[in-house]
């Protein structure tokens, strides 16, 4: 297993497109906005996500969000997102600093754990001292990923758990 993680690019190949189609549209409160898109719509999605990573390209009330593609060798296995800071809307809706979705056929192989470890490094580079994630209480797999990366429970909210990971 050789994991490689990079930001989404304006032009992604068919393998990345197919990976987004293989991941469900919604699962455990995470959303794959590219699921069900045509190839042309996916190209626009990629361009939009490249722009969403740049604060200067966003309205003042929006938080930059960097989308990453997770690869094992040259095979795309999932994607994740990182927000370098949270605004009032993120806090109100309990959107954390990161999210990830792994293709069903590649789950339980450590990709989410590796992605979160990568995000911890990116968060440190961004000057953060901690990051938060908010999985559903019933999402034991995601909770374990956070705990493996040093996450501790900050609070329980309705059906969610807020984890804090010190960097």
């Amino acid at each position: 297993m050789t994991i490689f993680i990079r930001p989404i690019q304006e032009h992604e190949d068919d393998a990345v497109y197919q990976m987004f189609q293989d991941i469900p549209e919604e699962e455990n409160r995470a959303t794959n906005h590219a699921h069900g898109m045509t190839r042309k719509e996916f190209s626009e999605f990629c361009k939009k996500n490249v722009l969403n990573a740049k604060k200067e390209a966003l309205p003042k009330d929006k938080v930059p969000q960097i989308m990453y593609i997770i690869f094992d060798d040259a095979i795309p296995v999932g994607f994740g997102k990182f927000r370098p800071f949270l605004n009032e809307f993120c806090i109100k809706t309990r959107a954390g600093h990161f999210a990830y979705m792994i293709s069903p056929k590649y789950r339980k192989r450590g990709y989410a754990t590796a992605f979160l470890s990568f995000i911890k490094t990116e968060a440190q580079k961004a000057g953060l001292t901690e990051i938060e994630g908010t999985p559903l209480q019933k999402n034991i797999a995601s909770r374990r990923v956070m705990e493996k990366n040093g996450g501790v429970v900050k609070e329980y909210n309705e059906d969610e758990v807020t984890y804090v990971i010190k960097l």
Side-chain angles (χ1 to χ4, degrees), residues 27-136:
E27 192 172 47
N28 291 318
R29 211 185 67 137
T31 305
N32 172 9
H33 295 285
H35 181 83
M37 287 184 171
T38 65
R39 189 68 175 91
K40 184 176 180 180
E41 290 168 333
F42 181 70
S43 293
E44 292 304 312
F45 169 84
C46 293
K47 290 174 187 172
K48 179 181 174 187
N49 275 281
V50 168
L51 285 176
N52 285 346
K54 301 173 184 172
K55 181 159 180 44
E56 62 276 3
L58 297 172
K60 298 251 186 263
D61 62 333
K62 298 287 183 186
V63 173
Q65 178 173 274
I66 305 162
M67 181 173 283
Y68 293 95
I69 309 298
I70 306 162
F71 293 88
D72 187 347
D73 290 324
I75 300 168
V77 298
F79 71 92
K81 304 170 186 178
F82 170 59
R83 296 177 192 95
F85 64 89
L86 304 178
N87 65 10
E88 189 176 314
F89 178 78
C90 292
I91 294 166
K92 181 178 162 186
T93 60
R94 293 192 283 277
H97 286 96
F98 57 89
Y100 47 80
M101 294 183 88
I102 305 299
S103 177
K105 60 186 171 187
Y106 295 109
R107 292 182 183 164
K108 298 183 181 182
R109 298 185 191 183
Y111 298 120
T113 300
F115 176 73
L116 186 49
S117 179
F118 170 82
I119 290 304
K120 287 170 53 178
T121 301
E122 294 302 297
Q124 285 177 316
K125 290 177 190 175
L128 300 177
T129 58
E130 66 182 32
I131 54 176
E132 290 189 5
T134 55
L136 294 174

Side-chain angles (χ1 to χ4, degrees), residues 124-165:
Q124 285 177 316
K125 290 177 190 175
L128 300 177
T129 58
E130 66 182 32
I131 54 176
E132 290 189 5
T134 55
L136 294 174
Q137 287 185 37
K138 68 179 184 177
N139 188 348
I140 302 303
S142 235
R143 293 180 65 183
R144 285 191 182 132
V145 166
M146 291 181 204
E147 291 165 2
K148 285 179 189 174
N149 274 281
V152 294
V153 174
K154 176 180 174 182
E155 65 182 317
Y156 290 90
N157 302 304
E158 299 167 21
D159 61 346
E160 300 167 340
V161 183
T162 300
Y163 279 86
V164 174
I165 301 172

